[in-house]
Amino acid sequence: MIEHSEILKPVVVLIAWSLVMLVWMIAVRLPAMKKLGIDINRVTGSKPGALDGVVPDKAQWPAHNYMHLMEQPTCFYAVALTLALVGWGNGMNAWIAWAYVALRIVHSLIQATFNKVNIRFMVFALSSLCLIALTLHAAIAVFGWHH
């Protein structure tokens, strides 16, 4: 069996969580649109946020969160893969990655349910600190600053 870097596990979990949020978004949005008489078969050309103010806010929250999961986590994937490639994806970096993923899942649950911005922002800030730590560790590894 090929050994792999532990940091790849939280990467896969966050990808899976993003797909959960995709399903959640569809499960909430389509019924809300149908209730308003919006027929997606007749809608041509749309842009992100086009349904804001049209469908109830609570039906948009999972969609907003799904978009957020396509933003900052892309940096997480890149830095986690970098750490895995340079052999720094185990130990502390794996734990920091797990913390990042756990915080992003909590962020999703907050945003998609009660959406209290001050609480959501605190969780986002903590996850960002994890991302900063991982990025610093990747920089130390790839630039050889650890000697």
Side-chain angles (χ1 to χ4, degrees):
M1 184 169 168
I2 298 173
E3 260 190 66
H4 62 273
S5 180
E6 285 297 308
I7 204 166
L8 297 176
K9 291 176 183 176
V11 166
V12 172
V13 168
L14 190 54
I15 292 167
W17 178 253
S18 297
L19 296 172
V20 167
M21 287 307 302
L22 173 65
V23 171
W24 189 345
M25 173 186 70
I26 292 167
V28 171
R29 253 180 152 184
L30 289 181
M33 291 169 64
K34 186 174 182 174
K35 187 175 181 180
L36 292 170
I38 299 170
D39 180 0
I40 63 167
N41 294 316
R42 294 185 174 178
V43 176
T44 304
S46 185
K47 62 183 189 282
L51 292 176
D52 289 339
V54 177
V55 299
D57 288 345
K58 193 165 182 150
Q60 283 293 87
W61 294 344
H64 294 160
N65 185 260
Y66 180 74
M67 287 190 296
H68 291 163
L69 288 169
M70 298 301 114
E71 296 169 350
Q72 189 192 69
T74 59
C75 295
F76 167 73
Y77 300 133
V79 76
L81 293 175
T82 299
L83 288 164
L85 286 171
V86 299
W88 283 36
N90 295 317
M92 178 177 45
N93 286 326
W95 284 106
I96 295 169
W98 277 117
Y100 179 82
V101 170
L103 288 163
R104 291 307 305 214
I105 290 171
V106 168
H107 179 272
S108 292
L109 293 171
I110 292 167
Q111 187 168 24
T113 58
F114 63 95
N115 207 7
K116 190 84 168 126
V117 174
N118 62 339
I119 298 169
R120 196 178 91 211
F121 178 75
M122 188 179 358
V123 174
F124 173 78
L126 289 171
S127 70
S128 296
L129 290 175
C130 293
L131 184 58
I132 290 166
L134 292 171
T135 303
L136 180 61
H137 294 168
I140 290 168
V142 300
F143 289 105
W145 295 337
H146 57 284
H147 292 112

